[in-house]
Each structure stands twice: as structure tokens, then as C-alpha cells.
Amino acid sequence: MNFRRLFAPFFWIAISCLILGACSDDESQESDVGISDTGSSDTESTPDADADDSDADDSDVEDAEFESLTCDDLGVDCGDHPDDQGGMLDCGSCSDGATCSEEGQCVAQGEFATEVNQYDITWHFDEEYEVGQFVTGDWWVVGPVEIEQVSPTPEDGRNGSMLNPVGAQAYDSRAGRHDDDKGVSFPLHLEPDNSLVSSISHDEEPECEQGGSDGWETYSGTCQRGPIHTQAVLTVLEEAPPSSAFRPPYSGDDKPLHLADEICWETLPDLSEPEEMPEADGVLRHIERPWIDHLQSWQMQHGCATHNMFCYGREIGDIVATVAAFVLIDSEARDDVATHLVQLGIDNYGVLQAGGGWHGDGGHFNGRKFPIVFAGGLLGNSEMASPGTDIGNEDRMTYYGDGGVAYWGRDCTSCYTDECSYTDECDSGSRDCRDPDESSDSCSSYRTCCTSRTWVGTALAARLMGLKDAWDHDPFFDYVDRWMAEEVDGGGGTSNAFVTEMWETHRDDTMPVDDGCL
């Protein structure tokens, strides 16, 4: 969290009180907190301090030394504001498409429209409403709003829409974990602080086959099992947001606004481009659209929108590893890619906050935790940066076993078999559970095909960004080291040549001495 901006208003109250001698006792207590939290060593106090500073005389004010206030100290982005020297601070103007509010915030200058469209999904309103777009391009509308219809039209278990979704889905009856009762119908009245997720279904005829199941083409031309083509999010707000606002999480009832202006860019190490640098447009396309990922089930492999994301955790892990390594590099596209990765982290954290999540299971749940930790690190949000230690395969499939060695194996018990295959004595249950003796890596097939290799880029990025402590699960990082040192049978592979080069070049780089802006 950016505490300078959070407590800046109280800091200004404190200075005004000292200069003008016009504050009440309550305001004096607020100013103590403000001055202390903005770093004034001469006037430190605790939040529950009872001291009354209202009797401070003019000589105390004259003797006190304050650094000149900046626009950032005041928590403002634009406009003219009084400084602490009796003058005015010029805090500039807003960029195109934004206006300066009375509070000194650049607010998105909305237009008025009867409909908005994204990715060929159109939301039709009953009249004109103020609308605009978040930094990632997703639409907001000032409500309450009446949505008469969405096109394509939801019908016969296709093109479904959901409100603040978590758990089962109502987008397409062919997709995993379908529950038609979770959907919404139109016309639909929505109050502020709601997120409407709408979809376009694929055609009835499958386009390809994956793993013996019907599949449809992805945005990159490969095949996945998801029968949903596209998804988009419309957010209803009480008022136009700041122009740098991220879209609130689509899942759950809590709709916090985070600002791109508050990104702590110094958290990223600005590494040089490697020889195996991927094309920036391709990296951005992976996370350019929202990943609607709330099913809490392996059935997600049959439930994604294939022109937004991939369905299976192996591919999701590979993509997140590649994006994680990409944002470490000083390139023209870095900030745009990082901004979209922050949005993905905000969304995933919203799923957690709404009661959803991702457990450990075969190759299904890779790559969900890193975007959350990344977003928390860049936004200076310590709670988001440390979301828990039981999120996805990276946490649930690594542990310290015999002798303190970091091993691979899911946190479950069943008839353990090293080869992940059933036998006469073991013909049901999970095949990827950890070794009962906790002295070896289990399930060689899932371990090598679908999990370990996808973790290398994220482990490297978390280390180099100083977020390993925030991640708070050391067995993950130590296991990846074993994997890359080929101490694990079948180890040494990564998501691609780019991640391999980044690991070989930077694994032993000096890590940050702290956790950046947290």
C-alpha cells in the first residue's frame, strides 16, 4: 500500500493546524497519525496517543523543520494546491480522456452511450449512461443501470452471462461444472459494485481434438477443450473512476479500485534482453483479455474461453512463466505487459477473496499464485503479495521431507505409486500424492510433463523481485533448484528456451535486500 498517499491528507491537516492554530482536539489527534506515518521523526506518536498538541505556540512552529510538500505528499495528481510555504503547488493537468476532480484526482472522462462493445460482445442499455474504459480496456458504466440485452443472445445453454461469479459456471452447458441456475437473464437491473461476465460460445461442431476430447481453436491456433470462444467483463460503478484505475475483480461482491499510477516500477530489475527474447505482441496477447478462472475444479480444462486463455494448467503455467520472465527485462513492451499481469493478479486475488481458489491436482492448477504475488508487489499491497500458502500446484505439490529435502508430491494420501499408474492393489484414487515415507519425489509423469517445468520462470521472477519471502513457501523454490540441478529424475526442463536462458543467466544474481515497495 502507498502509505504516503494514504496519509497525505492527514499530514496536510497537521501542518494547517500548526500554522493557523485552528484545529480541535480530534483534528490534532488525526494530525499526529498523519505526521508520524509520513515519516516526521520530530513528532512521532502512536495511533492511541492521548496527547493534546493544540497548545503548541508559534515558536514551536518556527523551530520545526519540514521538507517542502510535493504533489505526491498531498496525494494529488493534478490541479493547483496550497503548499506549506504559503504558496501554491502546480500539480499539472490530466492526459487526454481525463479531467481533474476537486480532490486533485485525474478522473476518467466518460462518454454517454446506449451500448458498449468489447470482443464482439455488446451490452445494450435502456437509455444513455456514462461509460468509459479501465487501463486494460475493459468497460465500466455508472449505475444503477438497466441492461436490456446482451448480444450474442443467451439461449439454449450458449452465450451465457453471470454476475460476480465464483464456483460453477452458466456460460455454456458443454463446459465443465455447468449450473444453469447461476446465470442471469435480461433485461437486468444492476446497482453499482457489480461485475457482469458475458460470453460467446463456440459453434456446435468441434474444430479439433485434444486428448481424445472435442476441442476448439485458441487465439494462437492450437487446440483446447473449452467450448467457450470469448468472455468480457462490464463493471457497474457508482461514479467515474480515476483514469488510471484497474478493473475491479470480476469475482465476488468486493470491488476495490487499484491504480496504475501507484505501480512501484522499481520492484522490477530491468535486465538486459537475452538472445531468446520472445515477440512482445505474442506475450501480451496471452494476458490481454480477462482470464475467467473461477470453477475451482479440474473441469476448468473443459471450461475456459479459448480466445481469452488456455484451459489446462500445463499451458497456463508455461504462459505465466514466460510472462513472469518477460517483465524482468527492460523493454518497450514491459510496462504494458506488466500492467495486464497486475490485472490478472487482481482478478485471481478477487477469486480467493470471494471464497474460490485452486488446489493441487495433477497438471491442472499451475500459474495462479504468481500473478497475485506480482500484483501485490507492484501495488505495494502486502496482503495481496502474501495471499496464502495453499494456492495451486506450486504450494500444494512441494514440501520438505526426510532430511529437509524439498520433494514433489501432492498433499494427499492414497495408494502411492511412483509411476502414477494403477495396479491390482491400487486401482482408484489420486495418483499424484506424496511418498508416504516423504523420502522421494512421486508420480514421475505429472511431475515431468505438466508441473515442474512450468514453475521455473515464476520461481526466478519471484526471487529477482524480492518476493520470495512474501510467497512464504520455501519448499517451492528449493524444489525448483533441485529440478534445474537435475537432482530430480527427469529434471532440467523449462517452459521454453527463453525461460531456460533467463534461469541460466540470472539464477545466481544478487537478490534484493528487501521486498521492494511492500
Side-chain angles (χ1 to χ4, degrees), residues 143-291:
V145 61
E146 190 82 16
I147 303 175
E148 288 194 325
Q149 187 54 275
V150 61
S151 56
T153 302
E155 57 184 352
D156 300 328
R158 305 291 183 267
N159 308 324
S161 290
M162 297 185 67
L163 198 61
N164 307 317
V166 64
Q169 60 85 23
Y171 309 115
D172 192 299
S173 60
R174 298 168 295 178
R177 207 178 172 201
H178 178 259
D179 182 351
D180 199 52
D181 291 338
K182 296 282 189 178
V184 296
S185 57
F186 300 90
L188 178 67
H189 176 85
L190 289 180
E191 293 292 324
D193 295 329
N194 276 294
S195 300
L196 179 65
V197 180
S198 297
S199 67
I200 301 175
S201 292
H202 275 296
D203 292 338
E204 296 302 311
E205 188 68 25
E207 298 172 339
C208 53
E209 181 179 294
Q210 186 199 35
S213 298
D214 290 343
W216 288 265
E217 286 191 358
T218 68
Y219 56 86
S220 64
T222 56
C223 187
Q224 291 279 285
R225 302 175 188 179
I228 306 166
H229 184 285
T230 297
Q231 290 169 318
V233 184
L234 175 67
T235 306
V236 185
L237 300 177
E238 187 174 2
E239 60 184 1
S243 58
S244 69
F246 285 98
R247 174 176 48 73
Y250 65 81
S251 187
D253 298 326
D254 191 19
K255 304 297 176 185
L257 283 179
H258 300 281
L259 305 181
D261 286 347
E262 296 179 351
I263 287 180
C264 183
W265 292 110
E266 54 265 40
T267 306
L268 298 175
D270 291 334
L271 304 178
S272 299
E273 291 191 10
E275 291 184 4
E276 296 289 345
M277 186 74 171
E279 290 291 331
D281 288 347
V283 175
L284 177 61
R285 181 61 182 86
H286 284 314
I287 55 173
E288 193 170 27
R289 298 185 179 190
W291 287 14

Side-chain angles (χ1 to χ4, degrees), residues 425-458:
E425 296 78 23
C426 180
D427 59 3
S428 64
S430 299
R431 294 175 290 172
D432 54 356
C433 295
R434 60 190 55 170
D435 172 14
D437 296 328
E438 298 190 348
S439 60
S440 65
D441 300 296
S442 62
C443 193
S444 58
S445 60
Y446 277 129
R447 186 180 72 232
T448 56
C449 79
C450 308
T451 56
S452 304
R453 77 175 204 206
T454 77
W455 300 344
V456 179
T458 54

